[in-house]
Amino acid sequence: MVNATWIGTPNYEPGRRGQRVDHITLHIMAGFLAGTDATFQDPNRKTSATYGIGANGQIHQYVRETDTPWSDGDWLANATGISIEHEGGLPQARCTRACMDASAELCADIARRHGWKKLWHDGLNGNIYLHREIPGTDHTTCPDLAPNGLDWQYVVNKANELLSGKPAANNTANTIKKEIDMGTTHIIFNCGQKVYIANIIAGTFQHMKTMNEVKTRKYVLEKSGQKVKAWKEVVGKKANDYGQVKPDDLLAFGIEVK
Ligand SMILES: [Zn+2]
């Protein structure tokens, strides 16, 4: 089982009216996890979801999987679905890689428990629904068409990797987590034409204007007991330069490169 924190909600229907769960509906919060907690706990809002996932990958559960969430704006979709909300969907609310990775694990877990060999989206014929496709909904951008919307294809692909038993593709967030476990505190990398030193513990970074500045900074950090690595050492290649990193990769770890 995936680790989820129970939050609860008064907004649900006990049981499934005899229906069988046959899909997961993906949503975007158009906001943050804390706001979603508050909305779902307000009995006047009459809305909920089975799960909500925050930017750091924390999973909140509001409705038991055996009960019906009030999420999709359609009773049959609700009665036959498990719904997952994702933080993001606003210019100031990003749908992060950590959130989507957690979603993939949760989707894979649900699939395993329901005997689904894989996840696929095909309108309302697959076992992955997108909220905007459910007839009657006015949430026309949920989950993927909102600004900072959900990359549902990424979630489905990654969940299917997990289900197939193949090792999941090496992604940046996992790579950095592993480095932190090994004691690395800073990573030097290229992004575009620029060189940066990221403090991977604090999630901050500095732009280095010259190679001398890089060397000096590395020396000072190592002198003070920090462990500094070049990106290529982190991903397993010995090299003199640092290796390109995409801004999106670092966003997954809360490091924003502008
Ligand atoms: Zn939705």
Side-chain angles (χ1 to χ4, degrees):
M1 278 289 279
V2 166
N3 208 7
T5 303
W6 177 258
I7 305 292
T9 173
N11 307 325
Y12 73 98
E13 182 179 319
R16 294 281 190 179
R17 295 197 201 182
Q19 299 289 328
R20 192 172 55 87
V21 170
D22 63 10
H23 72 273
I24 296 167
T25 304
L26 300 176
H27 298 262
I28 192 93
M29 291 173 189
F32 299 92
L33 184 63
T36 298
D37 285 358
T39 298
F40 289 172
Q41 288 185 301
D42 179 351
N44 297 314
R45 300 294 291 271
K46 304 218 176 303
T47 182
S48 66
T50 317
Y51 296 101
I53 307 179
N56 298 327
Q58 67 275 48
I59 302 175
H60 286 182
Q61 185 169 6
Y62 310 96
V63 179
R64 290 188 302 169
E65 288 187 11
T66 47
D67 291 333
T68 300
W70 292 346
S71 48
D72 295 3
D74 176 81
W75 89 263
L76 185 61
N78 285 340
T80 55
I82 290 170
S83 50
I84 306 177
E85 286 279 0
H86 302 81
E87 185 165 309
L90 291 176
Q92 68 274 29
R94 236 181 232 107
C95 190
T96 64
R97 191 75 63 90
C99 176
M100 292 190 287
D101 284 341
S103 184
E105 296 215 9
L106 178 57
C107 287
D109 181 58
I110 292 166
R112 270 186 217 109
R113 285 185 285 107
H114 287 83
W116 307 337
K117 294 264 182 290
K118 66 168 198 154
L119 294 166
W120 80 101
H121 168 257
D122 176 17
L124 304 186
N125 298 312
N127 54 16
I128 291 287
Y129 288 12
L130 308 181
H131 187 194
R132 63 178 165 78
E133 294 177 329
I134 293 169
T137 183
D138 56 356
H139 292 216
T140 53
T141 62
C142 183
D144 53 333
L145 303 180
N148 288 317
L150 176 72
D151 184 350
W152 62 266
Q153 192 66 65
Y154 172 89
V155 173
V156 168
N157 289 346
K158 176 138 195 201
N160 281 332
E161 273 179 3
L162 295 169
L163 285 169
S164 73
K166 278 190 299 186
N170 188 19
N171 67 54
T172 303
N174 284 340
T175 304
I176 295 178
K177 267 183 211 142
K178 230 187 288 164
E179 283 301 317
I180 290 175
D181 289 344
M182 292 191 308
T184 304
T185 59
H186 294 74
I187 294 175
I188 304 172
F189 61 94
N190 292 318
C191 187
Q193 300 300 313
K194 296 176 179 171
V195 180
Y196 297 88
I197 293 184
N199 177 336
I200 57 174
I201 310 293
T204 57
F205 67 94
Q206 271 183 296
H207 173 211
M208 301 283 110
K209 293 186 186 68
T210 64
M211 286 328 268
N212 256 341
E213 201 180 337
V214 174
K215 278 187 206 151
T216 308
R217 185 87 188 108
K218 185 168 187 281
Y219 176 80
V220 170
L221 284 167
E222 285 174 345
K223 266 293 204 206
S224 70
Q226 310 290 300
K227 194 168 164 194
V228 185
K229 275 191 179 178
W231 183 254
K232 285 200 174 174
E233 297 170 63
V234 168
V235 296
K237 286 180 212 152
K238 266 277 175 228
N240 297 324
D241 63 352
Y242 302 120
Q244 278 291 337
V245 171
K246 290 197 282 308
D248 265 12
D249 290 335
L250 287 160
L251 266 180
F253 216 74
I255 300 172
E256 186 173 5
V257 180
K258 292 189 180 111

